[in-house]
Amino acid sequence: MKDSQPIKAYYFFDEAGDTQILARKGVNLLEKGTASKTFMVGYLETTNHKEFSKAIRELHEKLKVDEYLASIPSMSSTNKAFHANKDCAEVRQAFFKLLKDQNFKFYCIVARKNEDLYRKKFDMKPVNIYKYLVSQLLKDRLHLYSEIDCYFSSMGNIVRQDTMQEAINGAIALFKTKWNKENDSTIRVFIQQNSEMPLLQAADYVLWTVQRAYERGDFRYYNFMKDKISLVHDVFDAEKYPNTYYTPNNPLEAKKIDPV
């Protein structure tokens, strides 16, 4: 167990994919190929959020007035906020290059979707899945700093102040059970819109690289950012368990995670 540092840190969360498995009348969307194969939650960790946010805002203002980009349809979305899935290739390149030069770490947890597992473990309820992933992701990382502000990207009835506080409390309880030690850190929870927080947009971009690897077998973006991605935990990969923790020294590769 690592000791706590007497400094303040900031965690910025985002999710990728969806929790849906069944449609109306019990149609399995995974079998039809119309739902994501995984659902994942990740967070960006930094102790220097102000300078990082400033750099993103400056890039945003620069790209908004770029004459070369002006006529690209997706810029109507980009002009509001960066979003990896919507931005054009030129914007993605600029944003990824900015991220590469910043000082941060990224952690995420990937949940492969399985109807029997999701029914037994989560009663097929999206909020239960999300809370579980957050608790598992944070159970060994909420004691690392004396103060932590956790910013979550708003998500309907799932990501709310009360549900995310419950997820945080769950992580603290898991930590106490594992280490027989109280968590003395001051932890605050904030729910924000992506457009209001540049570092939520950064979290979206980094998590997107992991999603591309799992959903499309495209490792290009992950490989570019892998030195920043401290952990990918493939929590329900029963075939590879317990070797389901991927780090810069043990990066994601198709042969390691297939079949998804």
Side-chain angles (χ1 to χ4, degrees):
M1 183 184 72
K2 293 183 178 179
D3 293 331
S4 175
Q5 300 181 62
I7 56 176
K8 186 171 184 177
Y10 302 83
Y11 294 0
F12 296 87
F13 291 78
D14 199 22
E15 77 286 330
D18 59 71
T19 59
Q20 198 170 14
I21 294 178
L22 300 179
R24 296 179 63 184
K25 299 182 180 180
V27 175
N28 190 304
L29 299 176
L30 291 177
E31 295 175 356
K32 291 188 65 177
T34 56
S36 65
K37 294 176 282 188
T38 63
F39 179 67
M40 53 188 73
V41 177
Y43 76 92
L44 183 153
E45 174 188 313
T46 182
T47 58
N48 186 25
H49 74 296
K50 291 183 178 180
E51 289 300 317
F52 196 167
S53 296
K54 180 182 177 182
I56 293 174
R57 289 192 180 100
E58 289 176 348
L59 176 64
H60 194 236
E61 292 304 312
K62 177 182 178 181
L63 296 181
K64 282 170 64 175
V65 297
D66 190 308
E67 184 179 2
Y68 178 79
L69 301 174
S71 61
I72 299 176
S74 64
M75 287 304 295
S76 61
S77 172
T78 301
N79 287 341
K80 299 174 184 177
F82 291 113
H83 195 292
N85 193 45
K86 298 178 180 179
D87 294 338
C88 66
E90 293 88 345
V91 170
R92 281 192 196 131
Q93 181 181 29
F95 199 96
F96 275 124
K97 286 187 174 181
L98 181 150
L99 289 177
K100 191 80 167 178
D101 291 335
Q102 300 302 314
N103 184 21
F104 69 91
K105 296 179 181 179
F106 192 83
Y107 300 85
C108 76
I109 185 167
V110 177
R112 295 166 184 250
K113 289 158 68 172
N114 175 283
E115 181 180 350
D116 290 339
L117 173 65
Y118 275 42
R119 190 177 299 281
K120 293 176 182 177
K121 197 171 187 69
F122 306 119
D123 194 27
M124 301 295 280
K125 294 180 179 178
V127 67
N128 292 343
I129 299 167
Y130 203 118
K131 286 164 58 178
Y132 174 84
L133 295 183
V134 172
S135 294
Q136 290 294 320
L137 184 60
L138 292 178
K139 63 184 180 181
D140 291 321
R141 298 186 180 88
L142 286 177
H143 71 287
L144 298 177
Y145 303 94
S146 57
E147 292 184 66
I148 303 173
D149 282 356
C150 296
Y151 289 87
F152 291 87
S153 178
S154 177
M155 185 181 174
N157 290 324
I158 298 174
V159 179
R160 307 190 312 258
Q161 187 78 29
D162 59 336
T163 57
M164 292 305 96
Q165 187 62 60
E166 289 170 4
I168 295 291
N169 294 343
I172 292 172
L174 290 170
F175 175 80
K176 183 178 181 180
T177 298
K178 181 177 180 178
W179 299 103
N180 192 29
K181 182 178 174 60
E182 297 288 347
N183 185 325
D184 297 324
S185 301
T186 299
I187 303 166
R188 301 192 300 171
V189 175
F190 301 90
I191 309 300
Q192 298 282 346
Q193 297 294 328
N194 264 31
S195 58
E196 299 171 354
M197 301 292 295
L199 292 193
L200 287 177
Q201 298 165 44
D204 165 79
Y205 254 77
V206 183
L207 189 59
W208 183 78
T209 73
V210 180
Q211 183 189 35
R212 292 279 298 192
Y214 272 88
E215 298 291 332
R216 301 194 182 188
D218 179 2
F219 289 80
R220 172 192 172 189
Y221 302 98
Y222 167 81
N223 288 335
F224 183 72
M225 294 302 301
K226 65 184 178 183
D227 291 343
K228 303 289 188 181
I229 303 175
S230 296
L231 177 69
V232 177
H233 181 195
D234 196 339
V235 66
F236 295 141
D237 186 356
E239 292 188 11
K240 308 292 195 310
Y241 179 84
N243 301 313
T244 56
Y245 297 84
Y246 302 101
T247 66
N249 292 327
N250 178 35
L252 288 177
E253 296 175 0
K255 64 182 180 182
K256 295 178 183 177
I257 65 175
D258 283 344
V260 178

